[in-house]
Each structure stands twice: as structure tokens, then as C-alpha cells.
Amino acid sequence: MPYQEPPFTMGVEEEYLLVDRETLELARAPQALMDSCMAEMDGQVSPEFLQCQIEVGTKVCQTIGDAREDLKRLRACISNHAADHGLVPIAASCHPFADWKDQHHTDKDRYNELQQDLAGVVRRMLICGMHVHVGIGQKDLRIDLMNQLTYFLPHLLALSTSSPFWQGDDTGLASYRLTVFDNLPRTGLPPQLRSWGEFERSVQALVGLGVIEDSSKIWWDLRPSSRFPTIESRICDVSPRLEHALSLAALTQCLTRMLWRLSRKNQRWRLYDNFLVSENRWRAQRYGVTGGLIDFGRGEIVPMGELVQEMIELLAQDAEALDCTAEIENALQITKNGNSSERQRATYQAAIAAGKTTDDALRDVVRHLIEEYHADL
């Protein structure tokens, strides 16, 4: 079979929370809002599990520039139509002070089944994430690249964290979202698989027992998509800033191409046991970009700025080929200026230092998130 480079097309999915513009509390999405958004964006907008959530997905994008244009249009669409109902979206993985017990799930067959199957665990799912798809046509290649890409999931998580607060408390974590999500079954790092056939046999073992209906109920941090010929990264918190979301998408796309490029030379990234990669996943969840990750080859904890600089150099050839050099270089600025979890904490601490109450300081954090959502539109 002649040599053929995978398309490395990309798609980005994001979940947002809707808040009341005056009270800054979570609000349900009116059906009229959903209808107007879906009509304008032709199926790229959909409800999520909770009624205060809304999900968007780009079209298949050839370049990061295409993704920027489409995601900017989607974010603006949600904002414009939400304003007609006195609402405003935020792109953060947890609302700083909302209580999950006050939320209601969307009355839709898929979500009703989730409520039934997952019981009390799913009720706490007041969280939002970002998913990045990268197009890989060959099924076995998808599995091979997925095994190697798992190593970099903590790096992507550390750059993305946006959920330090939960129900009005600073959790001490950079990504509390992952703590909630990991309570679901079939989550966490993907197992190392030998082939597409092994993946399909594992899925069918559960489908045949009626445990799940298809692979869409497998919620690993990285998985073969159930709907598209893609690898789907699901590790990231959703980013308040559009440009930061695009940097994470570009890194995911470039890392995938880099690993494919190695395979053309009969080379590959070293596979580490999930026990070790999980330690970096925890460090990213706990510290974001401030604590560093373990470089297992060097046998030491390395600051995120140094790791990202190494990634940028490693991916330079791929970024040039995919026309996203500026976007991956922007990731270094995240390590220097702080990611969303740090900016949220800084906003909160500044409000407390100014003599504001805890409640008012948390509302300042929501206002900050509103500003960041609109900053790049």
C-alpha cells in the first residue's frame, strides 16, 4: 500500500455554563435559547447533561486557523443569544460557588438513561470539559498513536486547568473537575492496547452483556472516537480564553503528527506504565503549571516552563507543516503568566484583600470568567 500521510484534521468540542447576568448564579438554558443557537449554527450546538450547560462542536477543520474561525463563531453565537434571555456563558470547568444539588438534568433519552445507570454519582457532574479530535484514518495506527500520546496527557491537563473552586471553597486543586469525573466508571487513562481488534473485543464484551450500548460510554482521557475516524483527547479542562483553547488543540494535533513522524522512521515514544503516568496526571490536577511534572527519562521533576519549551522544539517541524507555530509557542506564555486556575485564585485573593466578603469575592471570579470568555471574540 503506498505511503499516505494521515489527514491530521481536527475538531474541538467545548462545554459552557450559563449564568444569570445579574446574580451570576447558574441558570437553566431556555428552550428558545437552544432553538435559536441550533438554528444559527446548524447542529453544532446541543444541550448537555445538566440544564445549565450547553455544548458546541466545530466542523472538521483542516488547520488551527479554521478552528479559530469556527470556535469564535460558536462562542459568539452562544453569547449573543444568551443575552436575549439575561444570561451569559462562561468557559470554566466548575462554577466557583454553585451547588450541584440545585441543578437538574436535561430531559433527553440519553441523559435520562445516564441518570438511571449512574445514580447519585452522575448528579455531581456539574463540570465542563474540552475535547480535541485528530483525524487518523487507519484503525490500528489510531491505537498505536493513542498508546504513545497518553504520556503527554498530564502536560495538556496542566496547561488547561480551570476548576480550582467547588461549591464556594478553594479545593487546593487546579482541576477539581477531574476529581468529579473520575467517580464515573470507564474513566481515567486508557489501557495500553495492542490493536484495534483488541479494543473492539473489549468493547463488545460489555455491549454483549448489555452494560453499555456502544463505545461512546467509554470515557477515558483519550479514546478512539465512537463517531469519527479520530483520536479524541478528553483530558483538558475547558479554557476561558479562546486563544488558550486553540494552543491546546494545536499541541494535541502536533503531538499526534510527531508520533506518526517517528513511526515513519521505525521509532516510537517510550511507553511508561499507567502507574507512572498517573502520578503526573495527579501532579497536573493538583498543581496545574506551578508544580512541574516528572521526566521519567531524566529521573527528576521538571518545571512546566522547561517541559513546554522542550515540546515546542520537539514539535517545530510539525507545527510548521500544520501552520500552527504561533499557537504552540503561546503555550509557553501560559506557563509564564499562569493558567485559568491561577488567574481565578488571583482574582479571588485581590477581592479579599480589598475587604470584600467571600461571597462577593467569588462573584468577582465569575465576572472575571465572563470577561475572559469574551476577550478573544
Side-chain angles (χ1 to χ4, degrees), residues 279-296:
E279 192 63 30
N280 268 345
R281 184 182 188 266
W282 161 248
R283 292 188 63 84
Q285 180 183 355
R286 171 66 176 86
Y287 301 111
V289 295
T290 66
L293 299 179
I294 304 168
D295 184 316
F296 295 108

Side-chain angles (χ1 to χ4, degrees), residues 271-285:
L271 299 181
Y272 290 92
D273 191 276
N274 276 0
F275 170 73
L276 296 177
V277 180
S278 290
E279 192 63 30
N280 268 345
R281 184 182 188 266
W282 161 248
R283 292 188 63 84
Q285 180 183 355

Side-chain angles (χ1 to χ4, degrees), residues 63-65 318-327:
T63 67
I64 199 68
D318 308 285
E320 183 178 358
L322 296 170
D323 195 19
C324 60
T325 299
E327 285 77 13

Side-chain angles (χ1 to χ4, degrees), residues 19-180:
V19 301
D20 184 283
R21 183 175 290 278
E22 299 301 323
T23 67
L24 304 177
E25 296 177 355
L26 287 178
R28 301 184 190 185
Q31 188 59 49
L33 166 60
M34 295 303 308
D35 291 344
S36 58
C37 288
M38 288 189 284
E40 179 178 338
M41 298 312 297
D42 191 26
Q44 290 181 258
V45 179
S46 61
E48 246 300 322
F49 176 70
L50 294 177
Q51 293 177 354
C52 58
Q53 294 175 298
I54 193 165
E55 181 179 14
V56 303
T58 67
K59 298 175 182 177
V60 177
C61 299
Q62 300 298 320
T63 67
I64 199 68
D66 296 336
R68 174 180 287 103
E69 182 179 335
D70 204 17
L71 201 53
K72 182 180 290 189
R73 190 164 54 238
L74 285 162
R75 285 193 174 209
C77 169
I78 303 301
S79 179
N80 293 337
H81 290 291
D84 294 337
H85 302 273
L87 306 178
V88 62
I90 59 173
S93 281
C94 292
H95 186 280
F97 61 83
D99 191 331
W100 60 266
K101 294 186 291 293
D102 298 332
Q103 310 309 314
H104 302 276
H105 80 274
T106 302
D107 186 12
K108 190 177 178 182
D109 286 348
R110 173 179 171 80
Y111 301 132
N112 291 338
E113 291 171 5
L114 281 176
Q115 176 73 21
Q116 179 67 31
D117 292 344
L118 301 175
V121 171
V122 80
R123 288 190 59 210
R124 298 177 66 244
M125 290 287 289
L126 185 53
I127 55 175
C128 295
M130 167 186 165
H131 305 163
V132 178
H133 293 257
V134 179
I136 303 291
Q138 294 176 263
K139 293 179 178 178
D140 278 330
L141 180 60
R142 227 175 289 164
I143 296 298
D144 186 38
L145 296 182
M146 190 178 84
N147 286 337
Q148 299 173 70
L149 189 57
T150 296
Y151 176 85
F152 296 97
L153 292 178
H155 302 67
L156 297 171
L157 173 63
L159 291 165
S160 75
T161 57
S162 68
S163 48
F165 296 100
W166 178 253
Q167 297 195 121
D169 292 326
D170 186 335
T171 65
L173 276 64
S175 174
Y176 193 76
R177 159 190 158 262
L178 219 55
T179 301
V180 177

